[in-house]
Amino acid sequence: MREVFLEVSAEKNLGSFRLDVEFSMSRSYCVVLGPTGAGKSLLLELIAGILKPDKGRILIDGKDVTNLPPEKRNIGFVPQDYALFPHMSVYKNIAYGLRRDKKGKRKKVEEIAEKLGISHILDRKPTTLSGGERQRVALARALIIQPKLILLDEPLSAVDLRTKEKLMEELKLVHSEFEIPIVHVTHSLIEAVTLANEVAIMMDGKIIEKGKTKDVFSSQVQEVADFLAVKGLFKKLSDVFEQWK
Amino acid sequence: MQKRSVAMFVVFATLLGGCIQGIQDSKKITSGQTEAEVTEKIVLKVFHAGSLTEPMKAFKKAFEEKCPNVEVQCEAAGSAATIRKVTELGRTADIVASADYTLIPKMMYPDYANWTVMFAKNQIVLAYTDKSKYANEINSENWYQILRRPDVKFGFSNPNDDPCGYRSQMVLQLAELYYNDSTIYDDLVAKHSNLKFVEENGIYILRMPKSEDINPDTSKLMIRSMEMELIHGIETGEIDYYFIYRSVAQQHNHRFIELPPQIDLSSAEYADIYKKVKVVLANGKGVVGKPIIYGITIPESAEHKEYAEKFIELIVSKEGQRILKELGQPPVVPSVDNVDNLPEDLKEYVKP
Amino acid sequence: MRFSFYLFLAVLSSIIVLFILLPIVATLSTQFYDFDGLLEALGDKAVWNSILLTYYAAMLSTLIAVVFGTPLAYLLARYGFPGKSIIEGITDVPVVIPHTVAGITLLAVFGSNGLIGSFSPVKFVDALPGIVVAMLFVSIPIYINAAREGFSSIDIRLEQVARTLGASPSRVFFTISLPLVARHIAAGAIMSWARAISEFGAIIVIAYYPMVAPTLIYERYVSTGLSAARPVAVILILLSLAVFVVLRLLLWGQKR
């Protein structure tokens, strides 16, 4: 059993919706899979510190961050529509998280832009970028602060199929090259199968199953099986998965 | 896209054209309206001076009891502004009542009206409240000494706008003559503003600057357009005293001291004394001191002359005069200017 | 079918535009026949003094509205707290208070014996500060609502992401939220400036002097008549229209 890196044990009441999660992962690529409205984005907000739990705690690398504000947590957050700052150039977007030290700034931005292949668009405004470019900029902006963890909220939902495949490759690369654990939230089985070392399945505000990808996909828990079956791909995909491994 | 803008343009142009046509037609439409209205409740429009607000309310009530098919609508403003609503803004009124009866002949004869009934009088008093400085000291003898004190603030309405304002000036200048103290107006007003009386052939004349040039020292004087607006000043303690009609002071439950009849413009007896002061307003019109007498008339353009006559009948009747008295507005034996033009029904009430 | 819909839009829109335009055009065109009156007013120093005073006081009022209203607008747009709807109600109250009443209440607070006026070294009654507070009182709801709408329209994710990138709430406010609502703030400021210029009812109670343009117009009407008041009104309308158009063009240009 690998070492636990992130541990969330929290409750949050949001009027009509109730979040009650027990979630943990190691330093891996973890996909949180669940239908729309399961509370996946809320889980990310809890981890990022945007949402404060009513009860429970959040541990990152053994450190309790429950009461830390987002700016003290050092977590990179890439929301669903990337939330690039529309009034700033790509360069300024990426540099936003850097402290004032002017000299190193330019270099750091260029370095990371180079790695993500966006050096040529540094002077452009976010509104002029394609979906793939936007994601890379958002990633660069998150990575530049050298975060302990990256949170991706449905990162591939806004791009077409071909870009999607390419971006998935890139996400894998980011994970391995920067050696950063990633929590990737999605409702797409394909993304889970392609990217994840670990999978957690979330429904109605609860994590109903988690573990290594392979174990989860052969889960005997009724709800998990149902969810995967609803997706209509369970059998097929688990076969594919078997072949890949 | 082009089709759209063409459509917009066409409609806009047609409407614009239609409206201009409409403006030209509008006169015809209004003249045709009166017949249709008869079946509904008759609205009797009364434009009156601000100081008549309370009595008019009482008259309205009494009149509506007598004629349930009539609704009386009262509109208060300064006397001059009241008349201008008819003469300049072209609005229709069934009755016009002014705090200075001479304004009706001056501003309305002969096109808009041709007779005036004088139905009430008033007097200028110095009003105050319990919170006013030296409220316990002031009386009819020492009032101008109190006003002289540097920590006392007082107010009057703008002489250019409001008869009560120029009458206040007259009262202060008459006080100089009555108390034989030629510095009263200077100490109280002239030193603190651009207002100044000059003597010409035994007549004291105040030539009003334009309102924006009155330039009052606002730490001593508060000037407001209308007498009613001064009331905010006295009630918030901004000023200690203000010159106002007795009726208004009484209706607002303010304390007041009566000034000697030789100066307070109340008495026909002293008309010759009042004549010694004159104010020339910024618009060039001159007004000579005279007893404060209220005038009322029915404009030529009135829609309901019959009911308007009945309304005036009520005011000049015993009942009306009783109402006036109760509200601190001493009635007079009603008299009339241009008696020949007065409607027959009213003639019995007035002395020519 | 589509054409008739455009026709429907055009008819109703034209009616409301005409409704606004006609009185203004009527005033302007009547003045055209009395061109001498207009020239005379143009040469009248009192007219210019009052108009400049009006613009200046309205500018001060707008500045105060921006400095104090923006944080409140942000607070209302971003945070939920007990009593929030009460605060929202309070900020809208000036809209429904009759202006004379507003003037009286202001006099009660800023008058010589008022809550603030009694100890304030600044004199409010019949002075510039009195004009400014009256203008501020009636125009601040317009500004706050415009700024709040601006803040509400910002994607909250932008602020959240900025926080995760290490920015404190104040840095987020000044580097993300504020620049993004700049246009809303500018538009709100213009509207509240305009509202301040048009105020009369509250000002005349607390500060008849020095005379702002609306007071002067009223004054000329009461003391001399329509013929003296109209040219001043026409100058105020035309000048304000010009200022508006220029400001709007500047804003519009920025958007491009």
Side-chain angles (χ1 to χ4, degrees):
Chain A
M1 191 67 191
R2 278 178 289 179
E3 193 189 337
V4 172
F5 168 68
L6 168 68
E7 196 180 342
V8 180
S9 158
E11 285 176 37
K12 178 79 184 174
N13 223 327
L14 292 153
S16 59
F17 191 75
R18 199 178 141 72
L19 202 62
D20 182 2
V21 282
E22 295 289 337
F23 174 78
S24 63
M25 66 179 277
S26 59
R27 293 180 170 277
S28 66
Y29 198 119
C30 174
V31 169
V32 178
L33 193 60
T36 311
K40 302 180 305 258
S41 295
L42 294 173
L43 174 64
L44 293 190
E45 288 183 14
L46 275 177
I47 299 169
I50 295 160
L51 203 64
K52 280 248 150 74
D54 298 331
K55 235 199 286 183
R57 54 181 201 161
I58 297 159
L59 297 176
I60 299 177
D61 223 359
K63 198 178 145 207
D64 189 340
V65 298
T66 318
N67 291 314
L68 285 183
E71 62 266 32
K72 299 260 168 69
R73 292 197 184 184
N74 199 26
I75 290 174
F77 179 37
V78 179
Q80 187 162 9
D81 47 11
Y82 313 132
L84 298 177
F85 308 135
H87 58 302
M88 296 180 189
S89 67
V90 168
Y91 173 83
K92 284 198 168 152
N93 262 279
I94 298 173
Y96 189 84
L98 289 179
R99 283 288 143 191
R100 274 166 225 134
D101 54 294
K102 278 220 165 167
K103 272 186 190 166
K105 209 171 180 178
R106 178 105 229 157
K107 210 176 140 212
K108 274 185 185 159
V109 175
E110 277 165 359
E111 249 175 45
I112 205 145
E114 179 83 48
K115 272 186 192 163
L116 288 162
I118 47 174
S119 302
H120 59 293
I121 55 168
L122 284 180
D123 293 329
R124 284 172 51 190
K125 279 278 171 75
T127 40
T128 68
L129 303 180
S130 71
E133 285 168 335
R134 280 182 206 194
Q135 191 187 46
R136 289 186 199 112
V137 174
L139 272 173
R141 183 178 62 179
L143 285 167
I144 206 163
I145 61 169
Q146 295 177 309
K148 285 182 287 201
L149 173 70
I150 292 270
L151 307 174
L152 306 173
D153 192 355
E154 302 270 5
L156 304 172
S157 62
V159 292
D160 62 77
L161 214 62
R162 271 177 63 186
T163 322
K164 201 169 184 167
E165 279 172 15
K166 214 168 133 206
L167 287 176
M168 282 201 278
E169 284 310 306
E170 277 180 24
L171 287 177
K172 267 188 186 170
L173 224 64
V174 164
H175 174 58
S176 54
E177 194 168 324
F178 291 85
E179 293 176 343
I180 295 178
I182 291 179
V183 180
H184 174 139
V185 151
T186 183
H187 59 262
S188 152
L189 270 171
I190 302 175
E191 289 171 30
V193 170
T194 316
L195 293 166
N197 311 124
E198 291 177 30
V199 168
I201 293 185
M202 190 164 184
M203 284 179 100
D204 297 327
K206 287 191 181 69
I207 302 285
I208 53 172
E209 180 72 296
K210 60 177 190 282
K212 286 190 178 170
T213 314
K214 186 183 163 188
D215 299 339
V216 171
F217 275 89
S218 46
S219 169
Q220 296 306 306
V221 176
Q222 191 57 45
E223 285 162 295
V224 178
D226 282 352
F227 171 66
L228 296 172
V230 165
K231 284 278 173 183
L233 292 161
F234 170 48
K235 189 78 187 130
K236 221 175 185 176
L237 273 172
S238 52
D239 290 351
V240 173
F241 187 73
E242 282 303 318
Q243 283 171 6
W244 274 10
K245 281 289 146 171
Chain B
M1 182 61 211
Q2 226 173 14
K3 207 171 170 187
R4 213 181 311 177
S5 37
V6 168
M8 293 264 187
F9 177 78
V10 168
V11 169
F12 192 84
T14 339
L15 275 175
L16 194 65
C19 280
I20 289 165
Q21 188 63 42
I23 291 168
Q24 285 162 353
D25 290 344
S26 62
K27 274 184 188 157
K28 294 173 204 163
I29 294 167
T30 42
S31 61
Q33 256 172 358
T34 39
E35 288 159 29
E37 269 175 356
V38 176
T39 48
E40 292 166 25
K41 209 168 193 186
I42 290 165
V43 173
L44 196 69
K45 292 227 171 231
V46 180
F47 292 178
H48 63 83
S51 57
L52 284 170
T53 302
E54 291 302 319
M56 281 300 168
K57 263 192 225 159
F59 291 139
K60 170 185 157 80
K61 205 175 152 222
F63 191 77
E64 284 174 353
E65 270 168 26
K66 278 201 176 73
C67 307
N69 60 327
V70 179
E71 187 195 338
V72 179
Q73 285 183 355
C74 295
E75 255 186 65
S79 292
T82 293
I83 292 174
R84 276 204 193 92
K85 279 185 202 164
V86 175
T87 60
E88 286 199 4
L89 298 187
R91 294 188 50 198
T92 314
D94 296 301
I95 289 190
V96 167
S98 159
D100 176 354
Y101 75 95
T102 61
L103 290 181
I104 294 175
K106 252 187 231 164
M107 295 172 72
M108 299 184 82
Y109 286 7
D111 293 343
Y112 300 98
N114 49 35
W115 52 267
T116 314
V117 168
M118 293 147 248
F119 66 99
K121 63 174 190 169
N122 219 328
Q123 73 193 82
I124 300 286
V125 298
L126 187 62
Y128 58 104
T129 69
D130 292 335
K131 282 185 240 154
S132 302
K133 292 201 182 90
Y134 313 112
N136 297 325
E137 252 180 77
I138 199 158
N139 58 42
S140 299
E141 311 291 296
N142 69 0
W143 61 272
Y144 60 98
Q145 305 288 11
I146 302 273
L147 291 188
R148 265 180 176 146
R149 294 185 183 168
D151 55 339
V152 171
K153 280 183 77 174
F154 71 102
F156 47 78
S157 48
N158 185 340
N160 282 331
D161 298 355
D162 182 14
C164 188
Y166 62 69
R167 282 166 175 158
S168 308
Q169 310 309 303
M170 292 170 172
V171 167
L172 281 165
Q173 181 59 34
L174 286 168
E176 285 196 359
L177 305 177
Y178 178 75
Y179 294 106
N180 202 14
D181 176 346
S182 67
T183 58
I184 294 178
Y185 193 84
D186 295 340
D187 288 348
L188 297 183
V189 182
K191 270 188 195 164
H192 306 288
S193 69
N194 284 334
L195 308 184
K196 197 168 176 51
F197 274 93
V198 289
E199 193 195 337
E200 287 172 19
N201 306 324
I203 306 271
Y204 294 86
I205 302 179
L206 166 64
R207 291 207 163 73
M208 283 300 301
K210 281 188 177 173
S211 300
E212 62 269 23
D213 297 327
I214 293 174
N215 204 14
D217 168 5
T218 52
S219 61
K220 178 74 183 174
L221 293 181
M222 181 186 245
I223 300 182
R224 285 294 181 269
S225 182
M226 292 298 150
E227 67 227 15
M228 291 299 171
E229 287 152 6
L230 281 175
I231 289 168
H232 312 321
I234 193 96
E235 286 180 351
T236 55
E238 196 56 42
I239 48 174
D240 302 299
Y241 297 92
Y242 73 122
F243 288 95
I244 190 70
Y245 297 122
R246 178 205 167 101
S247 61
V248 178
Q250 184 167 330
Q251 287 149 17
H252 283 89
N253 292 322
H254 292 157
R255 294 171 68 180
F256 62 88
I257 52 161
E258 290 190 61
L259 307 173
Q262 287 88 343
I263 71 171
D264 73 355
L265 305 178
S266 66
S267 163
E269 210 178 310
Y270 296 107
D272 287 343
I273 297 180
Y274 302 158
K275 257 193 255 171
K276 287 184 186 165
V277 289
K278 181 179 175 183
V279 176
V280 180
L281 304 180
N283 60 19
K285 286 189 181 122
V287 275
V288 175
K290 55 180 177 280
I292 303 164
I293 294 176
Y294 285 70
I296 194 164
T297 191
I298 301 173
E300 289 289 295
S301 58
E303 280 180 12
H304 309 290
K305 289 205 168 114
E306 206 180 310
Y307 286 101
E309 280 167 29
K310 279 193 186 154
F311 192 77
I312 293 184
E313 222 176 299
L314 167 72
I315 294 177
V316 294
S317 69
K318 283 232 166 64
E319 188 192 353
Q321 300 286 297
R322 183 181 51 78
I323 290 174
L324 283 169
K325 206 174 213 164
E326 278 170 8
L327 292 167
Q329 197 131 26
V332 292
V333 180
S335 59
V336 70
D337 177 57
N338 274 4
V339 71
D340 296 342
N341 298 328
L342 190 69
E344 283 303 319
D345 292 346
L346 290 174
K347 279 186 179 158
E348 61 174 294
Y349 291 95
V350 299
K351 66 172 186 188
Chain C
M1 188 59 214
R2 286 181 71 192
F3 188 77
S4 66
F5 176 65
Y6 295 136
L7 204 68
F8 159 80
L9 284 183
V11 170
L12 293 191
S13 317
S14 305
I15 287 172
I16 203 71
V17 169
L18 279 174
F19 170 73
I20 300 170
L21 214 53
L22 272 179
I24 298 172
V25 170
T27 307
L28 296 181
S29 59
T30 318
Q31 193 58 54
F32 187 73
Y33 291 105
D34 177 25
F35 209 68
D36 292 344
L38 186 62
L39 287 180
E40 198 187 320
L42 278 171
D44 187 343
K45 232 179 145 196
V47 171
W48 289 109
N49 283 343
S50 75
I51 290 181
L52 287 181
L53 172 71
T54 311
Y55 284 4
Y56 179 61
M59 196 188 77
L60 291 179
S61 143
T62 305
L63 274 178
I64 297 173
V66 171
V67 171
F68 291 88
T70 310
L72 177 61
Y74 186 67
L75 203 68
L76 291 175
R78 274 296 174 259
Y79 299 97
F81 48 89
K84 180 179 170 180
S85 53
I86 295 174
I87 303 262
E88 280 174 327
I90 290 173
T91 58
D92 279 337
V93 161
V95 176
V96 296
I97 293 188
H99 295 175
T100 314
V101 179
I104 297 168
T105 50
L106 286 172
L107 193 60
V109 174
F110 293 100
S112 313
N113 298 313
L115 237 50
I116 291 171
S118 55
F119 66 84
S120 160
V122 181
K123 198 169 116 54
F124 288 92
V125 178
D126 285 330
L128 178 68
I131 297 172
V132 174
V133 292
M135 286 177 166
L136 183 62
F137 190 80
V138 298
S139 66
I140 192 130
I142 294 176
Y143 178 73
I144 290 177
N145 286 332
R148 184 178 56 186
E149 250 169 57
F151 284 122
S152 302
S153 73
I154 303 178
D155 183 0
I156 196 162
R157 284 282 188 233
L158 294 175
E159 293 174 4
Q160 292 170 345
V161 167
R163 289 286 298 278
T164 65
L165 292 170
S168 63
S170 74
R171 181 165 176 239
V172 171
F173 177 74
F174 285 108
T175 59
I176 305 291
S177 321
L178 212 50
L180 286 175
V181 292
R183 280 176 50 78
H184 283 92
I185 285 182
I190 292 174
M191 282 316 290
S192 88
W193 184 72
R195 179 65 193 80
I197 286 174
S198 67
E199 181 50 26
F200 166 69
I203 293 176
I204 200 174
V205 174
I206 191 166
Y208 185 57
Y209 286 102
M211 280 190 185
V212 291
T215 310
L216 188 77
I217 292 168
Y218 170 74
E219 186 50 46
R220 293 268 160 107
Y221 169 65
V222 172
S223 68
T224 313
L226 209 52
S227 62
R230 197 193 294 111
V232 190
V234 166
I235 294 173
L236 185 69
I237 291 174
L238 289 180
L239 209 59
S240 303
L241 204 66
V243 174
F244 271 15
V245 169
V246 169
L247 288 176
R248 288 266 175 202
L249 280 180
L250 282 178
L251 265 187
W252 192 64
Q254 225 180 30
K255 193 178 167 188
R256 293 268 137 157

